[in-house]
């Protein structure tokens, strides 16, 4: 691809995201920034938060570096779109993935199929000194299972069943995720945005 060998600094404290993005952006060298604590997520949307992370990353990365910000989460129909941008902190500021997942299942106790409809969202914002801001968004539609199953992935994966599947993302595994997840779709959109910006340059 056009940016093969390019190092892109990732502004995220989440090692799962760095690992997944490294696979999803082949040819890009994704290097997590040792950025210390991220700024509070104050935006109203995934996009605003991804952009805030990227902008913060730019202040700590070496001058001239490309930086990448990522924000993602889960929107559940019966919860009015929650946990949404608060997905990582749904059960409290220092909540673990397991705490968040437990809270989600509690809130959905007794809720039927319509209310269990859900969507993963991923927004990627890349800041390039040459090309400016480039963006990629991806979503994955599905539903929240009654109980956790499987061990791959992270976060809400043990309870998220994508449309057309019977297994959870945690059962479907890393290879399925790399081909079909919200993050995979966002990465593809971002690669296309970078490709077309490079052609226009
Ligand atoms: P962020 O670091 O603020 O973007 O938090 C994202 C949160 O959304 C994660 O901590 C997970 O709870 C959830 N999330 C995002 N992407 C995924 C995924 O691929 N699988 C499972 N949970 C995810």
């Amino acid at each position: 691809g056009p940016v093969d060998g390019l190092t892109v600094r990732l502004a995220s404290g989440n090692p799962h995201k760095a690992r997944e993005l490294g696979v999803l952006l082949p040819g890009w060298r994704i290097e997590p920034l040792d950025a210390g604590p991220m700024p509070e997520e104050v935006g109203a949307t995934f996009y605003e938060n991804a952009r805030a992370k990227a902008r913060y990353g730019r202040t700590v990365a070496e001058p001239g570096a490309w930086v990448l910000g990522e924000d993602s989460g889960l929107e559940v129909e019966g919860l009015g779109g929650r946990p949404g941008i608060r997905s990582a902190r749904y059960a409290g500021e220092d909540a673990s993935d397991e705490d968040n997942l437990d809270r989600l299942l509690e809130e959905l106790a007794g809720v039927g199929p319509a209310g269990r409809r859900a969507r993963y969202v991923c927004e990627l914002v890349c800041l390039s000194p040459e090309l400016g801001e480039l963006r990629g968004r991806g979503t994955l539609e599905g539903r929240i299972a009654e109980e956790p199953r499987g061990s791959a992935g992270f976060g809400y994966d043990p309870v998220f069943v994508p449309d057309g599947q019977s297994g959870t993302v945690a059962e479907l595994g890393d290879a399925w995720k790399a081909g079909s997840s919200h993050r995979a779709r966002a990465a593809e959109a971002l690669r296309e945005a970078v490709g077309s910006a490079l052609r226009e340059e």
Side-chain angles (χ1 to χ4, degrees), residues 90-149:
Y90 193 37
E93 279 313 310
D94 296 311
S96 67
D97 280 358
E98 206 185 345
D99 298 336
N100 289 326
L101 192 154
D102 287 346
R103 163 131 195 236
L104 180 71
L105 291 180
E106 275 165 31
E107 303 250 344
L108 288 176
V111 173
R116 302 185 89 91
R117 297 268 337 139
R119 170 188 306 120
Y120 271 139
V121 181
C122 175
E123 284 277 359
L124 291 169
V125 172
C126 182
L127 300 177
S128 153
E130 298 85 14
L131 305 176
E133 179 184 307
L134 298 153
R135 177 180 173 181
R137 177 185 174 89
T139 61
L140 178 67
E141 303 285 333
R143 61 186 165 80
I144 304 301
E146 301 282 341
E147 283 158 14
R149 286 180 270 133

Side-chain angles (χ1 to χ4, degrees), residues 16-200:
H16 299 288
K17 291 181 178 177
R19 180 176 50 80
E20 290 189 6
L21 287 167
V23 174
L24 294 171
L25 294 165
W28 301 35
R29 298 212 343 248
I30 303 294
E31 287 189 1
L33 274 170
D34 188 8
M38 281 288 144
E40 277 294 307
E41 287 178 23
V42 290
T45 63
F46 292 111
Y47 164 65
E48 285 174 11
N49 285 336
R51 188 182 57 186
K53 289 179 194 177
R55 287 179 177 172
Y56 174 72
R58 193 169 50 185
T59 70
V60 281
E62 50 292 351
W66 286 45
V67 298
L68 184 59
E70 194 267 16
D71 200 53
S72 52
L74 178 71
E75 297 177 340
V76 181
E77 194 68 32
L79 301 176
R82 282 183 299 121
I85 57 171
R86 297 196 47 87
S87 292
R89 288 158 289 137
Y90 193 37
E93 279 313 310
D94 296 311
S96 67
D97 280 358
E98 206 185 345
D99 298 336
N100 289 326
L101 192 154
D102 287 346
R103 163 131 195 236
L104 180 71
L105 291 180
E106 275 165 31
E107 303 250 344
L108 288 176
V111 173
R116 302 185 89 91
R117 297 268 337 139
R119 170 188 306 120
Y120 271 139
V121 181
C122 175
E123 284 277 359
L124 291 169
V125 172
C126 182
L127 300 177
S128 153
E130 298 85 14
L131 305 176
E133 179 184 307
L134 298 153
R135 177 180 173 181
R137 177 185 174 89
T139 61
L140 178 67
E141 303 285 333
R143 61 186 165 80
I144 304 301
E146 301 282 341
E147 283 158 14
R149 286 180 270 133
S151 57
F154 66 99
Y156 300 96
D157 287 343
V159 292
F160 190 95
V161 181
D163 283 352
Q165 303 291 332
S166 52
T168 66
V169 173
E171 289 177 315
L172 290 164
D174 291 345
W176 186 89
K177 230 185 150 178
S180 310
S181 75
H182 52 312
R183 196 164 290 102
R185 291 169 185 181
E188 190 185 342
L190 177 62
R191 274 191 280 125
E192 276 168 22
V194 170
S196 71
L198 284 170
R199 282 192 295 279
E200 280 164 22

